[in-house]
Amino acid sequence: MPRYELSLILKAMQRPETAAALRRTVETLLERGAVVRNLENLGERQLPYKITKHNERHRRGAYFLIDFYSAPSLLTGLLDHLYRDVDVVRPAILKKDDQVKTSKTKSCCGTQH
Amino acid sequence: MLRAMGGRSAQAARLLAPRSAVLVETVRGRKSRNDPVAKSKEGRIKVPPPVDPVEMVVMKQRFGEYQMILKALRLEFREEVLRRKYEEETGSLAEERARQDAEEHRALMTWNDEENVRMLNVRMMRIQRENEEAERNKLEAALQREQEQQEFIKEREREILQLQEDAKNFITLENLDQRIEEVLDKPKNYNFAVDKEGRVVKQTVLQ
């Protein structure tokens, strides 16, 4: 199955609400038959520019990365769902590249895997 | 040989004609066939020129001799030519030459045959060698392919095992809450800077 990465910008909220939003998203994914591999938090940071979404102006956002395996047919439905979620400022689903084999190449600094 | 020149006189015809040629009798000058004879020529009887008998005899003899000599010479020459031709074709030398040609031909043919045989052998050797090479290459290729297949299979197996290992860390409904808690506690920073010497700097702080 191809491997995708959902980079999610959630609204800057309190911890329980953020947890709830994340839980909601992951449950949607699991319902639709994806296999969630890993969750990553890139911190709550200032957005590069002010984003208006769902009638709200956002200046800060919480960045999260979810990589998962799924069929390509699920993606449009999923994106629709995410666009309609009020807490999500900006979703983006990208295909995940193959990891660089660190043993073969010379020590390539920058890759953290 | 009757030449009728319209408009010219017989004299002119006689002058223009070559000197050695025998004079032709019927040369029609001004008049054509059906014109009446001229008045001055009505009773004319044509008489051949008189012949001197002595002169005739002498001339005849001398001419006869002359022509005989010339004819003899001509025949001699013709015979010589024919003889030479005959000699050329079926003389003794011709036989020698024919024999030598045949010999040469036979020698060359044998040489040619030998060359053919030799080339055949060389060719057979070459073909054999090439076939062996091809066989070897084929075997090697087959081996190579086998090896590659094995490698491929091993690679895939390794990947599968790796994936199975990773699968233990996947997120399911049970560890969902726990994982979310973990994630919210540990933000990760991917920012870094590199300079031309390759020194990595990871000092960027999230705001």
Side-chain angles (χ1 to χ4, degrees):
Chain A
M1 272 204 292
R3 200 169 148 177
Y4 295 100
E5 186 177 81
L6 167 59
S7 59
L8 206 53
I9 310 182
L10 292 179
K11 206 164 94 165
M13 301 174 285
Q14 303 295 326
R15 196 180 155 120
E17 287 156 2
T18 323
L22 276 176
R23 197 199 161 87
R24 228 185 310 143
T25 319
V26 174
E27 270 175 4
T28 321
L29 273 172
L30 291 173
E31 260 171 58
R32 283 163 200 247
V35 174
V36 181
R37 198 180 155 117
N38 197 10
L39 261 191
E40 276 163 15
N41 179 6
L42 305 178
E44 190 193 301
R45 34 190 320 200
Q46 201 177 18
L47 296 176
Y49 43 85
K50 291 183 248 198
I51 303 179
T52 312
K53 203 79 184 183
H54 303 297
N55 284 322
E56 239 184 85
R57 207 95 190 278
H58 304 276
R59 277 212 261 111
R60 295 182 67 83
Y63 286 71
F64 289 95
L65 278 183
I66 309 178
D67 50 5
F68 60 98
Y69 289 111
S70 85
S73 49
L74 304 179
L75 295 183
T76 20
L78 183 63
L79 265 180
D80 275 342
H81 177 272
L82 288 167
Y83 277 122
R84 275 187 227 122
D85 191 341
V86 186
D87 289 330
V88 164
V89 172
R90 188 162 292 183
I93 300 189
L94 309 161
K95 214 151 77 126
K96 189 112 182 167
D97 288 336
D98 296 327
Q99 303 293 337
V100 173
K101 303 263 188 301
T102 43
S103 54
K104 285 189 189 163
T105 56
K106 286 177 274 190
S107 58
C108 180
C109 52
T111 50
Q112 294 196 331
H113 301 276
Chain B
M1 296 249 287
L2 302 171
R3 248 177 145 208
M5 294 170 66
R8 303 270 183 273
S9 60
Q11 322 274 359
R14 233 173 279 151
L15 281 172
L16 287 172
R19 281 178 192 272
S20 55
V22 178
L23 279 176
V24 182
E25 285 181 11
T26 42
V27 174
R28 286 219 153 256
R30 224 166 47 85
K31 295 197 174 175
S32 97
R33 195 171 216 226
N34 309 324
D35 294 336
V37 181
K39 265 204 292 217
S40 59
K41 297 279 186 300
E42 263 175 1
R44 183 163 178 263
I45 303 169
K46 277 195 281 196
V47 169
V51 174
D52 190 6
V54 178
E55 191 194 354
M56 181 57 100
V57 163
V58 169
M59 292 297 269
K60 265 202 157 58
Q61 195 224 346
R62 286 188 192 172
F63 264 118
E65 233 179 273
Y66 172 71
Q67 277 167 2
M68 191 170 52
I69 293 169
L70 282 189
K71 185 122 191 167
L73 280 174
R74 275 191 211 109
L75 288 177
E76 281 278 338
F77 293 148
R78 209 185 303 163
E79 194 200 338
E80 188 174 343
V81 165
L82 286 175
R83 196 174 354 108
R84 275 206 199 142
K85 206 157 72 100
Y86 181 71
E87 279 285 325
E88 181 74 30
E89 281 172 13
T90 57
S92 55
L93 287 177
E95 256 185 52
E96 276 285 321
R97 239 182 298 133
R99 207 165 33 81
Q100 273 176 359
D101 282 344
E103 278 285 330
E104 208 180 321
H105 180 78
R106 234 179 298 133
L108 287 174
M109 286 302 280
T110 39
W111 180 82
N112 191 21
D113 286 332
E114 279 166 23
E115 278 293 313
N116 281 352
V117 165
R118 185 172 70 85
M119 290 313 285
L120 179 76
N121 289 341
V122 168
R123 213 186 315 135
M124 294 302 283
M125 293 291 293
R126 184 167 40 91
I127 288 177
Q128 212 178 359
R129 236 179 299 135
E130 274 174 11
N131 283 350
E132 278 166 18
E133 272 292 326
E135 282 288 324
R136 238 179 298 143
N137 284 350
K138 243 194 335 179
L139 282 172
E140 259 175 55
L143 273 173
Q144 191 72 14
R145 255 179 286 136
E146 277 294 320
Q147 241 178 334
E148 273 171 20
Q149 243 180 334
Q150 293 295 325
E151 290 281 334
F152 183 73
I153 289 172
K154 268 195 212 87
E155 184 73 36
R156 285 284 176 258
E157 274 176 5
R158 206 155 34 84
E159 275 179 24
I160 289 171
L161 286 171
Q162 179 71 23
L163 204 57
Q164 275 178 342
E165 284 294 319
D166 292 336
K168 294 178 189 145
N169 296 346
F170 284 174
I171 300 180
T172 59
L173 287 164
E174 290 86 27
N175 31 5
L176 185 53
D177 286 320
Q178 187 205 352
R179 289 299 278 269
I180 290 178
E181 295 296 317
E182 275 176 23
V183 149
L184 287 174
D185 286 328
K186 253 186 37 164
K188 202 165 176 196
N189 188 3
Y190 282 110
N191 300 329
F192 70 99
V194 205
D195 73 349
K196 278 193 259 195
E197 270 78 59
R199 289 173 291 194
V200 176
V201 154
K202 294 194 183 164
Q203 281 176 350
T204 324
V205 177
L206 292 182
Q207 275 141 341

